[in-house]
């Protein structure tokens, strides 16, 4: 029997968005996914990282302003208003990943969380920016996120929303235990994470066959060790020739996968998340206040790289 604090969440996985796909066609897909999620009882729909465009950091442009068209200037805007309108009409909230170009010219990889009444809860800026800063001509494709985005100066927040405490992270953030723990220390109960993960990891191709394993490993561990639900949502499939991981999943505070995508295309998976399950872990084995030893964890915040002792 579900408890009193449940939220039915949909992970709205997307197949590829090609370079030629315009915003209105992509938003129409997002609205289709929203409808399916609503039919299946979802109150919150989570979309992938950079859901509105192709994963443009795979190309380098000498003049960064030539990439301005991949960024949103505001949210909502004319292109995304149909999604905001339809979600509000249905009483469904959502979390949307996109590139944001601020009025000050700064560039961010963000997710915006929208409540069921259409109000914006928060916009989270990606903290861990992977890949490289400069053009690397020998690669089969670029991963120049460090050229296109600044890292968040704020890190990880947790917001009261959907009857619980909701946090956000974006793609590479999910590989770092600190992401979950900083939210865990704010009492997070539900973490929302969009991602774009190429199967081919250029610096070390031996990792290619492990992409699915690592994806599950980090989200299951992060959920369990912090007693939180985690919703990971891919943009998968072959996008502009680059094969990307699907395997969107909803993970319980036990670390168990309760729903997982079967395709690498547009696909909705749904789970009813009982937020009171979090205390089964945060109130027992991971009772932070009782068992953590911050006095011996100083290196985690005082040092970035390895210092040999
Ligand atoms: N989008 C994103 O962060 N992707 C990275 C790819 C590996 S780093 C080149 C990820 O961690 O999945």
């Amino acid at each position: 029997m579900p408890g009193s604090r449940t939220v039915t969440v949909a992970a709205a996985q997307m197949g590829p968005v090609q370079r030629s796909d315009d915003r209105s066609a992509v938003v129409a897909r997002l609205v289709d996914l929203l409808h399916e999620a609503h039919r299946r009882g979802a109150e919150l729909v989570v979309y992938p990282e950079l859901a509105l465009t192709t994963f443009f950091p795979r190309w380098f442009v000498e003049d960064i302003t030539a990439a301005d068209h991949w960024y949103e200037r505001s949210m909502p805007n004319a292109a995304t208003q149909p999604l905001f309108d339809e979600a509000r009409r249905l009483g469904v909230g959502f979390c949307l990943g996109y590139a944001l170009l601020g009025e000050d010219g700064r560039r961010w990889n963000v997710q915006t969380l929208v409540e069921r009444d259409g109000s914006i809860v928060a916009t989270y800026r990606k903290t861990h920016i992977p890949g490289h800063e400069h053009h690397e001509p020998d690669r089969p494709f670029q991963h120049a996120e460090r050229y296109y985005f600044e890292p968040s100066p704020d890190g990880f927040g947790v917001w009261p929303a959907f009857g619980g405490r909701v946090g956000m992270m974006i793609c590479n953030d999910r590989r770092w235990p600190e992401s979950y723990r900083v939210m865990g220390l704010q009492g997070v109960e539900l973490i929302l994470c969009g991602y774009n993960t190429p199967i081919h990891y250029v610096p070390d191709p031996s990792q290619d066959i492990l992409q699915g394993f690592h994806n599950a490993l980090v989200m299951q561990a992060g959920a369990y060790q912090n007693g939180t639900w985690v919703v990971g949502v891919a943009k998968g499939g072959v996008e502009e020739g680059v094969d990307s991981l699907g395997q969107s999943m909803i993970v319980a505070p036990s670390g168990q996968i309760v729903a997982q995508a079967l395709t690498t295309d547009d696909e909705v998976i749904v789970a009813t998340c009982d937020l009171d399950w979090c205390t089964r872990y945060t109130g027992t084995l991971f009772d932070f206040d009782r068992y953590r030893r911050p006095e011996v964890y100083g290196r985690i915040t005082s040092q970035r790289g390895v210092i040999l002792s």
Side-chain angles (χ1 to χ4, degrees):
M1 276 288 284
S4 56
R5 282 198 321 124
T6 61
V7 55
T8 301
V9 182
Q13 178 175 283
M14 297 177 74
V17 174
Q18 306 302 349
R19 193 178 184 134
S20 58
D21 294 343
D22 65 20
R23 296 280 201 293
S24 59
V26 175
V27 170
R29 276 168 69 183
L30 299 179
V31 171
D32 285 348
L33 290 163
L34 178 81
H35 285 151
E36 160 136 19
H38 176 251
R39 266 197 304 277
R40 293 169 58 186
E43 300 153 85
L44 168 60
V45 181
V46 186
Y47 296 108
E49 175 191 33
L50 300 179
L52 296 171
T53 63
T54 199
F55 189 79
F56 64 87
R58 73 168 61 90
W59 299 288
F60 189 85
V61 289
E62 285 294 339
D63 174 4
I64 199 166
T65 63
D68 284 359
H69 62 102
W70 299 121
Y71 295 77
E72 312 307 307
R73 306 296 182 123
S74 59
M75 190 57 63
N77 55 33
T80 58
Q81 195 63 53
L83 173 65
F84 278 73
D85 290 345
E86 190 61 358
R88 186 175 176 187
R89 188 183 74 79
L90 296 172
V92 176
F94 63 94
C95 178
L96 179 69
Y98 58 96
L100 178 66
L101 175 52
E103 280 176 17
D104 55 3
R106 298 176 75 177
R107 296 164 191 275
W108 311 101
N109 185 343
V110 305
Q111 275 178 184
T112 292
L113 179 61
V114 182
E115 256 288 8
R116 292 155 287 189
D117 64 0
S119 60
I120 290 183
V121 176
T123 295
Y124 163 72
R125 298 181 280 188
K126 187 172 181 175
T127 301
H128 299 94
I129 309 289
H132 48 100
E133 291 85 354
H134 306 293
H135 189 222
E136 296 189 1
D138 294 338
R139 284 173 157 262
F141 54 89
Q142 305 294 301
H143 196 108
E145 276 196 70
R146 294 175 71 85
Y147 177 66
Y148 287 111
F149 303 118
E150 286 184 53
S152 167
D154 305 322
F156 300 96
V158 172
W159 296 271
F162 298 90
R165 298 187 58 77
V166 182
M168 291 186 271
M169 60 185 181
I170 300 178
C171 196
N172 190 259
D173 289 329
R174 77 195 189 285
R175 301 187 191 274
W176 299 90
E178 294 87 349
S179 310
Y180 304 85
R181 183 50 51 93
V182 169
M183 288 187 266
L185 287 166
Q186 298 171 74
V188 75
E189 296 172 316
L190 177 63
I191 297 178
L192 314 177
C193 178
Y195 61 89
N196 284 262
T197 294
I199 303 281
H200 182 40
Y201 183 59
V202 177
D204 177 14
S206 75
Q207 296 181 28
D208 294 3
I209 57 164
L210 300 173
Q211 289 292 358
F213 168 64
H214 289 155
N215 183 53
L217 178 71
V218 292
M219 291 197 285
Q220 291 185 261
Y224 168 62
Q225 292 172 339
N226 295 279
T228 181
W229 291 88
V230 174
V231 181
V233 189
K235 174 141 65 61
V238 181
E239 190 179 87
E240 295 294 340
V242 176
D243 196 6
S244 295
L245 186 71
Q247 300 190 18
S248 300
M249 61 181 70
I250 301 174
V251 184
S254 60
Q256 292 167 292
I257 297 170
V258 297
Q260 183 167 5
L262 300 176
T263 72
T264 53
D265 216 328
D266 288 14
E267 180 181 343
V268 174
I269 59 171
V270 177
T272 296
C273 304
D274 186 340
L275 302 178
D276 289 330
W277 280 15
C278 298
T279 56
R280 293 185 181 187
Y281 293 89
T282 59
T284 58
L285 200 66
F286 296 114
D287 179 341
F288 288 172
D289 196 40
R290 186 170 185 191
Y291 296 119
R292 285 185 76 251
R293 298 286 318 284
E295 63 275 21
V296 297
Y297 303 154
R299 283 179 189 274
I300 290 183
T301 54
S302 66
Q303 162 182 338
R304 184 159 59 202
V306 173
I307 298 175
L308 299 178
S309 48

